[in-house]
């Protein structure tokens, strides 16, 4: 049984909810990623911040990325997957919530990220095709 822990990218880093969107963009650039989990002072996951969020909700809206806090862009409860959840649960969660990246948690602690590319590398073609089809529906 393939689990999230087996296919995740480890060493995921959070952006603090009180850090600015500008700081988040710099961290994304340094890490070469398009999304960061948003973590609160309690180290609990508050949401995800994507490069698209920065462009559409901050820059496109004429806001100053040096003034907007990452936590302001967290929407509702974060969609996550447990580290020991299996591939079927990963696929179902990504499809149901229409997300391409899932923070992987162990307890409430962030331990990694499962991205669409991780799934594509790890799972058989028919499962990957089903996921891609589910995520492509707009």
């Amino acid at each position: 049984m393939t689990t999230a822990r087996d296919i995740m990218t480890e060493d995921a880093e959070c952006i603090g909810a009180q850090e600015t969107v500008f700081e988040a963009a710099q961290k994304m650039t340094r890490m070469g990623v398009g999304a960061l989990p948003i973590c609160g002072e309690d180290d609990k996951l508050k949401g995800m911040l994507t490069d698209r969020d920065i462009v559409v909700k901050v820059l496109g809206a004429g806001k100053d990325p040096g003034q907007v806090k990452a936590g302001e862009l967290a929407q509702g409860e974060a969609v996550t997957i447990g580290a020991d959840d299996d591939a079927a649960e990963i696929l179902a969660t990504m499809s149901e919530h229409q997300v391409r990246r899932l923070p992987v948690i162990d307890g409430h602690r962030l331990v990694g990220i499962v991205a669409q590319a991780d799934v594509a590398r790890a799972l058989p073609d028919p499962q990957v095709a089903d996921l891609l089809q589910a995520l492509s529906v707009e």
Side-chain angles (χ1 to χ4, degrees), residues 2-8 10 82-85 90 104-106 109 111 114:
T2 301
T3 67
R5 192 182 309 275
D6 296 329
I7 65 173
M8 72 184 186
E10 295 183 54
D84 296 318
D85 288 348
I90 295 167
V104 180
I105 58 170
D106 191 354
R109 191 174 60 84
V111 294
V114 171

Side-chain angles (χ1 to χ4, degrees), residues 17 19 23 34 46 52 60 64 89 98 102 118 126 133:
E19 292 182 77
E23 291 169 309
K46 304 297 183 193
R52 186 176 192 284
D64 179 353
E89 185 66 25
Q98 295 286 293
L102 279 176
D118 299 321
Q133 182 177 359

Side-chain angles (χ1 to χ4, degrees), residues 1-116:
M1 173 179 78
T2 301
T3 67
R5 192 182 309 275
D6 296 329
I7 65 173
M8 72 184 186
T9 299
E10 295 183 54
D11 301 325
E13 290 185 32
C14 285
I15 188 71
Q18 295 304 313
E19 292 182 77
T20 68
V21 170
F22 180 73
E23 291 169 309
Q26 289 179 313
K27 188 175 237 185
M28 286 180 187
T29 300
R30 186 176 67 253
M31 294 176 65
V33 298
L36 288 171
I38 303 168
C39 294
E41 291 178 19
D42 58 1
D43 206 28
K44 288 189 179 177
L45 195 62
K46 304 297 183 193
M48 287 290 285
L49 177 65
T50 67
D51 48 8
R52 186 176 192 284
D53 292 332
I54 293 170
V55 170
V56 173
K57 296 175 183 174
V58 179
L59 299 176
K63 296 178 182 176
D64 179 353
Q67 297 300 314
V68 176
K69 303 293 185 199
E72 293 175 40
L73 299 179
Q75 299 176 349
E77 191 169 325
V79 177
T80 63
I81 195 82
D84 296 318
D85 288 348
D86 66 16
E89 185 66 25
I90 295 167
L91 293 170
T93 302
M94 284 182 149
S95 297
E96 178 184 341
H97 296 280
Q98 295 286 293
V99 295
R100 290 175 168 80
R101 300 169 190 94
L102 279 176
V104 180
I105 58 170
D106 191 354
H108 79 270
R109 191 174 60 84
L110 178 72
V111 294
I113 300 278
V114 171
Q116 184 177 350

